[in-house]
């Protein structure tokens, strides 16, 4: 019962994590443009339009974060509730099959369920971390697979000279 619900919340978080990364890239690119051309921005009076652009990007990024953390909270609730629900289900099924619920049966069962508690908690958490890892690796792979940028400098063979001057008039 919990695995499908955790799968849905994990899928939602994965998609939103990718969206957050895209919006963060857009915001960082806009900030880079602003900082790189700050003199031109100041000279032309473009501070407010650029600030509005960055604020809109950040607003979208925060909207996605809000949804993503909602689904992460759903995952946390499921993780927290799962061990108690499993214990309840085990004893409810035992009771339904007329298995006597006595200390000699309950204590070993509780001990076994307590042993399984940490793996039941860690599995969804590790799945969430694997989602983050997958998104990060996809982004790194996309970056490394991108074509190289063209160089605008063109090399020309000049021979043995470091540089040549032709038809130059100099005045000092």
């Amino acid at each position: 019962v919990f695995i499908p619900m955790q799968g849905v919340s994990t899928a939602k978080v994965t998609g939103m994590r990718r969206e957050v990364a895209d919006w963060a890239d857009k915001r960082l690119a806009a900030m880079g443009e602003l900082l790189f051309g700050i003199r031109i921005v100041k000279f032309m009076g473009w501070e407010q339009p650029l600030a509005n652009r960055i604020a809109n990007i950040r607003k979208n990024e925060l909207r996605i974060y809000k949804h993503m953390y909602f689904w992460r909270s759903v995952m946390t609730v499921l993780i927290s509730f799962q061990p108690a629900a499993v214990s309840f289900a085990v004893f409810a099924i035992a009771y339904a099959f007329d298995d006597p619920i006595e200390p000699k049966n309950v204590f070993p069962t509780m001990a076994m369920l307590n042993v399984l508690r940490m793996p039941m908690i860690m599995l969804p958490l590790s799945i969430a971390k694997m989602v983050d890892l997958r998104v990060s690796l996809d982004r790194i792979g996309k970056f490394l697979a991108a074509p190289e940028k063209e160089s605008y400098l063109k090399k020309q063979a000049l021979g043995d000279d470091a540089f040549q001057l032709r038809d130059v008039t100099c005045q000092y």
Side-chain angles (χ1 to χ4, degrees), residues 34 46-57:
L34 173 68
W46 292 340
E47 297 97 338
Q48 198 56 48
L50 280 174
N52 291 342
R53 179 176 160 213
I54 292 168
N56 285 335
I57 291 170

Side-chain angles (χ1 to χ4, degrees), residues 29-45:
M31 288 298 297
E33 289 174 18
L34 173 68
L35 294 175
F36 184 71
I38 192 69
R39 287 185 180 167
I40 294 170
V41 169
K42 287 291 204 182
F43 180 72
M44 300 298 284

Side-chain angles (χ1 to χ4, degrees), residues 93-166:
I93 291 169
Y95 181 77
F97 284 111
D98 294 328
D99 193 17
I101 298 181
E102 299 172 346
K104 68 179 184 176
N105 296 338
V106 170
F107 288 119
T109 304
M110 288 302 291
M112 184 59 70
L113 290 173
N114 280 334
V115 168
L116 293 174
R117 180 174 295 217
M118 191 54 73
M120 285 191 300
I121 290 172
M122 293 308 291
L123 178 66
L125 291 176
S126 60
I127 290 171
K129 291 301 175 189
M130 291 298 288
V131 164
D132 287 344
L133 175 68
R134 181 174 166 213
V135 169
S136 297
L137 288 177
D138 287 348
R139 289 171 51 87
I140 290 170
K142 186 177 172 183
F143 173 76
L144 292 176
E148 295 291 327
K149 292 208 172 197
E150 277 187 42
S151 174
Y152 294 106
L153 300 176
K154 294 182 180 169
K155 294 182 181 180
Q156 296 178 352
L158 296 176
D160 295 333
D161 301 331
F163 65 93
Q164 292 178 346
L165 300 173
R166 292 188 194 151

